[in-house]
Amino acid sequence: MILTIKEILKKEVFTRENIISLLESEGEDRTLLYKKSAEIKERFIGNKVWFRGLIEFSNICSKDCLYCGIRKGNKNLTRYNLSDDEILAAARFAYENHYGSIALQSGEIESPYVTNRIENLLYRIKELSAGELGVTLSVGEQDHEVYKRWYDAGAHRYLLRVESTNQKLYEKIHPNDSKHDFNNRLKCLKSLQNIGYQTGTGVMIGLPFQTMDDLAGDLLFMKEFDIDMCGMGPYIEHADTPLIKHSGKLMPLSERLDLTLKMIAIIRIMMKDINIVAATALQAIDPMGREKAVKIGANILMPNITPGKYRDSYKLYDNKPCTDDSAEDCQSCLEARVSLADAEVIYGEWGDSKHYKERRAK
Ligand code: SAM
Protein backbone atom coordinates (compact mmCIF):
# COMPACT_ATOMS: atom_id res chain seq x y z
CA MET A 1 0.00 0.00 0.00
CA ILE A 2 1.37 3.41 -0.97
CA LEU A 3 1.16 5.85 1.95
CA THR A 4 0.85 9.61 1.64
CA ILE A 5 3.66 11.78 3.06
CA LYS A 6 1.30 12.83 5.85
CA GLU A 7 0.73 9.19 6.78
CA ILE A 8 4.45 8.36 6.61
CA LEU A 9 5.31 11.27 8.88
CA LYS A 10 2.93 9.90 11.52
CA LYS A 11 4.85 6.60 11.71
CA GLU A 12 7.35 5.80 14.47
CA VAL A 13 9.64 3.78 12.22
CA PHE A 14 10.32 4.37 8.52
CA THR A 15 10.76 1.55 6.02
CA ARG A 16 13.12 1.85 3.04
CA GLU A 17 10.10 2.61 0.82
CA ASN A 18 8.89 5.32 3.22
CA ILE A 19 12.31 6.99 3.11
CA ILE A 20 12.38 6.90 -0.67
CA SER A 21 8.94 8.56 -0.77
CA LEU A 22 10.22 11.27 1.60
CA LEU A 23 13.33 11.79 -0.54
CA GLU A 24 11.15 12.18 -3.61
CA SER A 25 8.66 14.57 -1.96
CA GLU A 26 8.07 17.94 -3.60
CA GLY A 27 5.97 21.06 -2.98
CA GLU A 28 3.56 20.83 -0.04
CA ASP A 29 4.71 17.34 0.85
CA ARG A 30 8.29 18.52 1.20
CA THR A 31 7.11 21.44 3.34
CA LEU A 32 5.38 18.92 5.64
CA LEU A 33 8.65 16.99 5.96
CA TYR A 34 10.61 20.12 6.88
CA LYS A 35 7.92 21.24 9.31
CA LYS A 36 8.05 17.92 11.12
CA SER A 37 11.87 17.82 11.31
CA ALA A 38 12.01 21.43 12.56
CA GLU A 39 9.47 20.59 15.28
CA ILE A 40 11.53 17.61 16.37
CA LYS A 41 14.69 19.66 16.49
CA GLU A 42 12.93 22.29 18.59
CA ARG A 43 11.58 19.66 20.99
CA PHE A 44 14.70 17.54 21.44
CA ILE A 45 17.57 19.99 20.89
CA GLY A 46 16.04 23.46 21.10
CA ASN A 47 16.74 26.28 18.67
CA LYS A 48 20.45 26.08 19.35
CA VAL A 49 23.69 25.76 17.47
CA TRP A 50 27.12 24.83 18.80
CA PHE A 51 30.42 25.69 17.12
CA ARG A 52 33.33 23.37 16.36
CA GLY A 53 36.26 25.56 15.31
CA LEU A 54 37.59 23.68 12.29
CA ILE A 55 41.38 23.40 11.91
CA GLU A 56 42.28 21.81 8.57
CA PHE A 57 45.82 21.21 9.73
CA SER A 58 47.26 19.33 6.73
CA ASN A 59 46.23 18.43 3.19
CA ILE A 60 48.85 15.69 2.88
CA CYS A 61 47.04 12.44 2.18
CA SER A 62 48.09 8.88 1.46
CA LYS A 63 44.74 7.99 -0.06
CA ASP A 64 43.47 8.41 -3.58
CA CYS A 65 39.68 8.72 -3.20
CA LEU A 66 38.40 9.39 -6.70
CA TYR A 67 36.22 12.36 -5.71
CA CYS A 68 38.55 14.29 -3.41
CA GLY A 69 40.63 17.35 -4.31
CA ILE A 70 43.36 16.55 -1.77
CA ARG A 71 43.85 12.97 -2.98
CA LYS A 72 47.43 11.83 -3.18
CA GLY A 73 47.37 11.72 -6.98
CA ASN A 74 46.43 15.39 -7.40
CA LYS A 75 49.67 17.17 -8.32
CA ASN A 76 47.93 20.53 -8.95
CA LEU A 77 47.99 21.65 -5.38
CA THR A 78 50.49 22.93 -2.84
CA ARG A 79 50.77 20.56 0.08
CA TYR A 80 50.97 22.03 3.59
CA ASN A 81 51.25 20.87 7.15
CA LEU A 82 50.66 23.42 9.91
CA SER A 83 53.32 23.61 12.61
CA ASP A 84 52.35 22.55 16.13
CA ASP A 85 52.50 26.21 17.16
CA GLU A 86 50.08 27.21 14.41
CA ILE A 87 47.63 24.48 15.45
CA LEU A 88 47.88 25.47 19.09
CA ALA A 89 47.39 29.16 18.22
CA ALA A 90 44.18 28.26 16.34
CA ALA A 91 43.02 26.18 19.32
CA ARG A 92 43.78 29.11 21.62
CA PHE A 93 41.73 31.40 19.35
CA ALA A 94 38.79 29.01 19.72
CA TYR A 95 39.21 28.86 23.49
CA GLU A 96 39.53 32.61 23.91
CA ASN A 97 36.44 33.16 21.75
CA HIS A 98 34.49 30.70 23.90
CA TYR A 99 33.91 28.11 21.21
CA GLY A 100 33.09 24.99 23.18
CA SER A 101 35.06 22.73 20.85
CA ILE A 102 37.44 22.41 17.97
CA ALA A 103 37.64 19.84 15.18
CA LEU A 104 41.03 18.75 13.89
CA GLN A 105 40.84 17.52 10.31
CA SER A 106 43.46 16.50 7.75
CA GLY A 107 44.30 14.15 4.95
CA GLU A 108 44.88 10.59 6.03
CA ILE A 109 48.31 9.37 7.11
CA GLU A 110 48.95 6.26 9.20
CA SER A 111 52.36 6.47 10.83
CA PRO A 112 53.91 6.40 14.29
CA TYR A 113 55.00 10.01 13.74
CA VAL A 114 51.43 11.18 13.09
CA THR A 115 50.08 9.09 15.99
CA ASN A 116 52.57 10.62 18.42
CA ARG A 117 52.12 14.10 17.03
CA ILE A 118 48.33 14.11 17.37
CA GLU A 119 48.53 12.54 20.81
CA ASN A 120 50.94 15.22 21.97
CA LEU A 121 48.81 18.00 20.44
CA LEU A 122 45.74 16.67 22.22
CA TYR A 123 47.49 16.85 25.60
CA ARG A 124 48.70 20.37 24.85
CA ILE A 125 45.25 21.55 23.70
CA LYS A 126 43.72 20.22 26.91
CA GLU A 127 46.46 21.97 28.88
CA LEU A 128 46.08 25.37 27.20
CA SER A 129 42.31 25.32 27.75
CA ALA A 130 42.37 23.90 31.30
CA GLY A 131 40.53 20.88 29.92
CA GLU A 132 37.65 23.04 28.70
CA LEU A 133 37.95 22.76 24.93
CA GLY A 134 36.19 19.71 23.49
CA VAL A 135 38.00 18.02 20.60
CA THR A 136 36.59 16.21 17.57
CA LEU A 137 39.05 14.34 15.36
CA SER A 138 38.57 13.63 11.67
CA VAL A 139 41.77 12.11 10.37
CA GLY A 140 40.50 8.99 8.68
CA GLU A 141 41.08 5.27 9.11
CA GLN A 142 43.55 4.22 11.81
CA ASP A 143 44.26 1.16 13.94
CA HIS A 144 42.16 0.50 17.04
CA GLU A 145 45.21 1.15 19.27
CA VAL A 146 45.78 4.53 17.65
CA TYR A 147 42.16 5.57 18.14
CA LYS A 148 42.45 4.43 21.77
CA ARG A 149 45.60 6.46 22.42
CA TRP A 150 43.95 9.61 21.04
CA TYR A 151 40.83 8.97 23.10
CA ASP A 152 42.96 8.60 26.23
CA ALA A 153 44.72 11.86 25.31
CA GLY A 154 41.41 13.74 25.31
CA ALA A 155 39.68 13.45 21.93
CA HIS A 156 36.09 12.47 22.60
CA ARG A 157 34.36 12.72 19.22
CA TYR A 158 35.38 11.28 15.87
CA LEU A 159 33.94 11.92 12.42
CA LEU A 160 34.55 9.26 9.80
CA ARG A 161 32.18 9.44 6.87
CA VAL A 162 31.29 6.07 5.43
CA GLU A 163 30.76 7.98 2.12
CA SER A 164 28.26 5.37 0.89
CA THR A 165 26.93 2.24 2.57
CA ASN A 166 26.35 0.51 -0.76
CA GLN A 167 29.60 -1.41 -1.11
CA LYS A 168 29.32 -1.46 -4.91
CA LEU A 169 29.00 2.32 -5.04
CA TYR A 170 31.81 2.70 -2.49
CA GLU A 171 34.03 0.66 -4.77
CA LYS A 172 33.14 2.81 -7.78
CA ILE A 173 34.30 5.99 -6.04
CA HIS A 174 37.49 4.57 -4.55
CA PRO A 175 40.50 2.79 -6.05
CA ASN A 176 40.18 -0.96 -5.91
CA ASP A 177 42.92 -1.80 -3.40
CA SER A 178 43.44 -2.69 0.25
CA LYS A 179 43.97 0.96 1.22
CA HIS A 180 40.40 1.76 0.21
CA ASP A 181 38.55 -1.18 1.69
CA PHE A 182 34.85 -0.71 2.51
CA ASN A 183 34.96 -3.34 5.27
CA ASN A 184 37.89 -1.65 6.93
CA ARG A 185 35.91 1.59 7.07
CA LEU A 186 33.08 -0.23 8.85
CA LYS A 187 35.61 -1.86 11.18
CA CYS A 188 37.05 1.57 12.03
CA LEU A 189 33.61 2.95 12.84
CA LYS A 190 32.98 -0.01 15.15
CA SER A 191 36.35 0.52 16.88
CA LEU A 192 35.54 4.17 17.49
CA GLN A 193 32.17 3.30 18.98
CA ASN A 194 33.61 0.51 21.15
CA ILE A 195 36.37 2.74 22.51
CA GLY A 196 33.76 5.23 23.66
CA TYR A 197 33.99 8.09 21.17
CA GLN A 198 30.89 10.01 20.20
CA THR A 199 30.88 8.50 16.76
CA GLY A 200 29.89 10.40 13.68
CA THR A 201 29.45 9.36 10.10
CA GLY A 202 27.78 10.51 6.93
CA VAL A 203 27.70 10.27 3.17
CA MET A 204 28.06 12.42 0.09
CA ILE A 205 24.80 13.13 -1.68
CA GLY A 206 24.41 13.32 -5.44
CA LEU A 207 27.35 11.08 -6.35
CA PRO A 208 27.47 9.63 -9.84
CA PHE A 209 25.69 6.23 -9.94
CA GLN A 210 23.92 6.92 -6.60
CA THR A 211 20.22 6.09 -6.36
CA MET A 212 17.43 7.03 -3.93
CA ASP A 213 17.56 3.44 -2.75
CA ASP A 214 21.26 3.90 -1.87
CA LEU A 215 20.48 7.04 0.13
CA ALA A 216 17.61 5.32 1.95
CA GLY A 217 20.04 2.49 2.78
CA ASP A 218 22.52 5.05 4.14
CA LEU A 219 19.95 6.46 6.56
CA LEU A 220 18.87 3.00 7.69
CA PHE A 221 22.53 2.13 8.30
CA MET A 222 23.00 5.22 10.49
CA LYS A 223 19.97 4.29 12.57
CA GLU A 224 21.00 0.64 12.85
CA PHE A 225 24.61 1.52 13.74
CA ASP A 226 23.25 3.94 16.35
CA ILE A 227 25.47 6.88 15.42
CA ASP A 228 25.78 9.90 17.72
CA MET A 229 26.61 12.50 15.09
CA CYS A 230 25.94 12.94 11.42
CA GLY A 231 27.85 15.00 8.88
CA MET A 232 26.61 14.70 5.33
CA GLY A 233 26.81 17.05 2.43
CA PRO A 234 26.38 17.33 -1.33
CA TYR A 235 29.02 15.83 -3.58
CA ILE A 236 30.62 18.67 -5.56
CA GLU A 237 32.92 17.89 -8.45
CA HIS A 238 36.59 18.81 -8.46
CA ALA A 239 38.23 19.32 -11.84
CA ASP A 240 41.47 17.53 -10.83
CA THR A 241 39.87 14.26 -9.77
CA PRO A 242 39.07 11.10 -11.75
CA LEU A 243 35.35 11.31 -10.92
CA ILE A 244 35.09 14.47 -13.01
CA LYS A 245 34.67 12.29 -16.09
CA HIS A 246 31.22 11.33 -14.81
CA SER A 247 30.02 14.89 -14.29
CA GLY A 248 27.61 14.50 -17.20
CA LYS A 249 25.71 11.92 -15.11
CA LEU A 250 25.12 14.21 -12.14
CA MET A 251 21.92 15.88 -11.08
CA PRO A 252 22.08 19.71 -11.07
CA LEU A 253 23.69 21.30 -7.98
CA SER A 254 20.36 22.77 -6.86
CA GLU A 255 18.88 19.25 -6.76
CA ARG A 256 21.86 17.96 -4.79
CA LEU A 257 21.27 20.73 -2.26
CA ASP A 258 17.59 19.91 -2.08
CA LEU A 259 18.30 16.22 -1.58
CA THR A 260 20.84 16.95 1.15
CA LEU A 261 18.29 19.04 3.02
CA LYS A 262 15.78 16.21 2.77
CA MET A 263 18.39 13.72 4.04
CA ILE A 264 19.05 16.01 7.05
CA ALA A 265 15.33 16.39 7.75
CA ILE A 266 14.73 12.62 7.57
CA ILE A 267 17.67 11.68 9.80
CA ARG A 268 16.53 14.29 12.35
CA ILE A 269 13.13 12.59 12.46
CA MET A 270 14.66 9.09 12.62
CA MET A 271 17.33 9.98 15.23
CA LYS A 272 15.85 12.81 17.25
CA ASP A 273 18.68 13.63 19.64
CA ILE A 274 21.86 13.20 17.57
CA ASN A 275 24.12 16.08 16.57
CA ILE A 276 23.84 17.04 12.91
CA VAL A 277 26.37 19.23 11.11
CA ALA A 278 25.35 21.86 8.58
CA ALA A 279 28.21 21.08 6.16
CA THR A 280 30.23 23.82 4.47
CA ALA A 281 29.61 22.18 1.09
CA LEU A 282 25.95 23.28 1.36
CA GLN A 283 27.12 26.87 1.15
CA ALA A 284 29.18 26.15 -1.95
CA ILE A 285 25.85 25.62 -3.73
CA ASP A 286 23.60 28.16 -2.01
CA PRO A 287 24.78 31.14 0.07
CA MET A 288 21.96 30.28 2.48
CA GLY A 289 22.54 26.51 2.36
CA ARG A 290 23.73 26.14 5.92
CA GLU A 291 20.97 28.33 7.37
CA LYS A 292 18.42 26.18 5.59
CA ALA A 293 19.99 23.10 7.18
CA VAL A 294 19.89 24.69 10.64
CA LYS A 295 16.22 25.58 10.22
CA ILE A 296 15.20 22.03 9.41
CA GLY A 297 17.36 20.02 11.76
CA ALA A 298 21.12 20.68 11.93
CA ASN A 299 22.58 21.95 15.21
CA ILE A 300 26.36 22.06 14.62
CA LEU A 301 28.38 24.55 12.57
CA MET A 302 32.09 24.41 11.92
CA PRO A 303 33.58 27.90 11.53
CA ASN A 304 36.89 27.59 9.76
CA ILE A 305 39.75 28.75 12.00
CA THR A 306 42.57 27.40 9.83
CA PRO A 307 45.11 30.23 9.24
CA GLY A 308 43.95 32.01 6.06
CA LYS A 309 47.06 31.43 3.96
CA TYR A 310 46.47 27.66 3.94
CA ARG A 311 42.75 27.60 3.24
CA ASP A 312 43.00 27.75 -0.48
CA SER A 313 44.98 24.51 -0.45
CA TYR A 314 42.33 22.50 1.43
CA LYS A 315 40.07 22.40 -1.59
CA LEU A 316 38.12 19.17 -1.44
CA TYR A 317 35.83 20.39 -4.24
CA ASP A 318 35.53 23.36 -6.59
CA ASN A 319 34.07 26.68 -5.33
CA LYS A 320 34.76 25.90 -1.68
CA PRO A 321 33.42 28.97 0.16
CA CYS A 322 35.19 31.26 2.67
CA THR A 323 38.75 30.43 1.63
CA ASP A 324 39.66 34.15 1.81
CA ASP A 325 38.17 34.81 5.26
CA SER A 326 39.98 35.14 8.58
CA ALA A 327 38.81 33.22 11.66
CA GLU A 328 37.17 36.43 12.98
CA ASP A 329 35.29 36.93 9.69
CA CYS A 330 34.08 33.38 9.85
CA GLN A 331 32.71 33.76 13.36
CA SER A 332 30.79 36.99 12.76
CA CYS A 333 29.44 35.75 9.45
CA LEU A 334 28.23 32.52 11.02
CA GLU A 335 26.65 34.29 13.96
CA ALA A 336 24.65 36.47 11.60
CA ARG A 337 23.68 33.39 9.62
CA VAL A 338 22.53 31.52 12.71
CA SER A 339 20.28 34.37 13.75
CA LEU A 340 18.83 34.39 10.23
CA ALA A 341 17.81 30.82 10.91
CA ASP A 342 16.13 32.01 14.17
CA ALA A 343 18.60 30.02 16.21
CA GLU A 344 21.16 30.95 18.83
CA VAL A 345 24.85 30.11 19.10
CA ILE A 346 25.69 28.60 22.46
CA TYR A 347 29.17 29.61 23.60
CA GLY A 348 31.31 27.93 26.24
CA GLU A 349 29.60 24.55 26.05
CA TRP A 350 30.73 21.34 24.39
CA GLY A 351 27.31 20.71 22.90
CA ASP A 352 27.75 16.96 23.15
CA SER A 353 25.43 14.56 21.42
CA LYS A 354 22.45 13.91 23.70
CA HIS A 355 22.05 10.62 21.94
CA TYR A 356 25.48 9.52 23.14
CA LYS A 357 24.58 10.24 26.75
CA GLU A 358 21.33 8.30 26.47
CA ARG A 359 23.04 5.43 24.68
CA ARG A 360 25.77 5.14 27.31
CA ALA A 361 23.28 5.38 30.19
CA LYS A 362 21.44 2.27 28.93
N1 SAM B 1 40.85 12.16 5.73
C1 SAM B 1 39.73 12.28 6.60
C2 SAM B 1 38.64 11.32 6.19
O1 SAM B 1 38.70 10.75 5.11
O2 SAM B 1 37.72 11.13 7.00
C3 SAM B 1 39.18 13.69 6.68
C4 SAM B 1 39.34 14.56 5.49
S1 SAM B 1 38.26 14.14 4.14
C5 SAM B 1 38.85 15.24 2.92
C6 SAM B 1 36.74 14.83 4.68
C7 SAM B 1 35.51 14.57 3.85
O3 SAM B 1 35.51 15.41 2.71
C8 SAM B 1 35.34 13.20 3.26
O4 SAM B 1 34.83 12.32 4.22
C9 SAM B 1 34.40 13.44 2.09
O5 SAM B 1 33.08 13.06 2.37
C10 SAM B 1 34.48 14.96 1.88
N2 SAM B 1 34.78 15.25 0.45
C11 SAM B 1 35.89 14.96 -0.22
N3 SAM B 1 35.77 15.30 -1.53
C12 SAM B 1 34.54 15.84 -1.66
C13 SAM B 1 33.80 16.37 -2.77
N4 SAM B 1 34.33 16.39 -3.98
N5 SAM B 1 32.55 16.83 -2.54
C14 SAM B 1 32.03 16.81 -1.30
N6 SAM B 1 32.66 16.32 -0.23
C15 SAM B 1 33.90 15.83 -0.40
Side-chain angles (χ1 to χ4, degrees), residues 61 63 65 67-70 105-108 138-141 158-161 163 185 202-204 233-238 241 281 314 316-318:
C61 193
K63 291 196 131 179
C65 307
Y67 44 83
C68 184
I70 65 167
Q105 191 179 92
S106 71
E108 188 172 312
S138 175
V139 294
E141 293 175 26
Y158 205 104
L159 264 180
L160 180 68
R161 282 189 179 177
E163 316 297 2
R185 187 150 291 228
V203 295
M204 281 176 289
Y235 162 66
I236 301 177
E237 5 356 1
H238 187 298
T241 60
Y314 201 85
L316 308 177
Y317 43 82
D318 291 332

